[in-house]
Every structure is written in C-alpha cells, then in structure tokens.
Amino acid sequence: MPVGSRGTLEAAIARPSKPLLSRELIARTALALVDRHGPDGASIRRVAARLGVNPASLYNHVPNRAAMVEDVRALVSAAIDSAPLRDLPWEDALRAWARSYRRAFARHAKAVPLLMTERISAPVLLAEYEDFAVAAEAVGWTPRDILPLLTAFESFILGSVLDMSGPTVVFDPTGQEEAFPRFAAAFDTLADEDPADPVATRAFELGLDMLVASARPR
C-alpha cells in the first residue's frame, strides 16, 4: 500500500457518498421539491427518490407525511421575526411582524397551499403566536378574540403572498375601455409604476394600514 494511502482510504470510509439521512435533511429536501413542484412535491415517495433512499427509510426519522409538512412549516416560519411584538408599541409591532411574515413566505409561495392543509403544531410558529397573543392582550383584546384577530392578519398576509406569486398584473380591461371607463383609467395608471411590482406591495401596505388602524378593541 503506497505511503499515505491508508489515511486516504480511512477518510473515504468515514465520509459517506450520500449525506446522512436526518429529519432536517428530509424537511429541507421536501421544501425544495415544494418550491419547484408545489404541494405535490411534499410526498414521501418524491422526497425519498430525491434523497436516493427507500421511502421506508424516511419513517425512521419522521413518523408520517403530516409531520414532514410541519417540519417544512417550521423551516419557512423560522424566518418570521416576532421580536417586534415583544419590543415595539402595538401598531409598529404589527407592521414589522406582518412585513417579516410576508417576506418569509414570499420566498416559498408554493408552500402556502400545502401548509394550509395541515393543523399548525410547529413549536417555532406557536412561539410566535404566543408573542402575538401576549401583545394583543396587553392592548385589551380578550382570549376569545385573539384567534380571529390573528386569522385576519394571516389571511391578509398569505393572500398577499399568493398575489405576489401570480402575474405582476392580473387585470386587463384592454379593448373594453368604453364599457368600464373608470376601471380602465385606474388600470392606465399602472404604466407609471414599477413593472416588476406595480400593485402587490402597494396593495399590501395599503391593506396593512387599514388592518392596523382597526387593530385595537373597540
């Protein structure tokens, strides 16, 4: 055996040709597939095929598909910053938290329909919900109203994410201007906006202002 070859051989044996299977690797692989294929990417079979293993091998690390979906949710939600809910005045906190939430999911817009099919149990997101609940109670919301309030914000935020993932402009009254003159005039103003984002962000900020303006109990 040539000098030094033993160390090379031992190193080759110590380093497997494929990454060691883990729950985090499974979740990251599932998220990458969802980013590409949408909810259909989050199947045990597809994830196992991407990792080059038998589907049964995944069950040594994750109990079922629902748990894998929650792990995907945890990866996406980890980018949401709920610290403003602990540190800032209520209205400022809501704006910062909502913008952070939108940015986190905008990176993985195709995951939104998937994550809406499973109950939320990921600790990282529940911790953020706890921050929301504490901040909401501090300004007078009752426990009974916290979930509707949270759902109103989440529906708006995730709806904005889905809007961003579609065509930059979904409206088109071209050729029907005489029938719908005021809407056509509004449509014409988009020519002066950023062609890459003429509506979505402005709509989000406008809607966020409206929600925040009503975010204290009556």
Side-chain angles (χ1 to χ4, degrees), residues 48-200:
R50 172 61 67 89
L51 291 170
V53 300
N54 189 291
S57 300
L58 270 60
Y59 293 113
N60 294 324
H61 302 274
V62 63
N64 49 47
R65 180 180 180 274
M68 183 177 71
V69 170
E70 276 307 282
D71 289 347
V72 169
R73 189 193 309 277
L75 287 176
V76 178
S77 301
I80 301 172
D81 183 10
S82 63
L85 293 168
R86 301 190 299 270
D87 302 333
L88 297 180
W90 177 235
E91 284 81 5
D92 294 338
L94 285 173
R95 287 188 174 87
W97 166 76
R99 289 165 182 153
S100 171
Y101 201 137
R102 182 176 184 250
R103 286 193 301 270
F105 274 81
R107 301 186 189 105
H108 305 285
K110 290 184 178 180
V112 173
L114 169 70
L115 299 180
M116 295 177 73
T117 66
E118 300 289 345
R119 292 170 66 94
I120 297 170
S121 60
V124 64
L125 188 53
L126 293 179
E128 294 163 3
Y129 288 164
E130 179 71 6
D131 288 337
F132 184 96
V134 171
E137 287 188 352
V139 295
W141 289 100
T142 66
R144 184 174 183 272
D145 291 326
I146 286 175
L147 290 185
L149 180 67
L150 173 63
T151 300
F153 272 91
E154 285 197 319
S155 297
F156 168 69
I157 295 165
L158 295 177
S160 177
V161 170
L162 293 176
D163 184 42
M164 291 171 65
S165 66
T168 54
V169 179
V170 297
F171 316 105
D172 188 5
T174 303
Q176 303 181 74
E177 290 87 351
E178 290 188 7
F180 311 108
R182 300 318 310 148
F183 184 76
F187 176 79
D188 285 343
T189 66
L190 298 182
D192 300 324
E193 301 296 331
D194 178 0
D197 185 10
V199 178

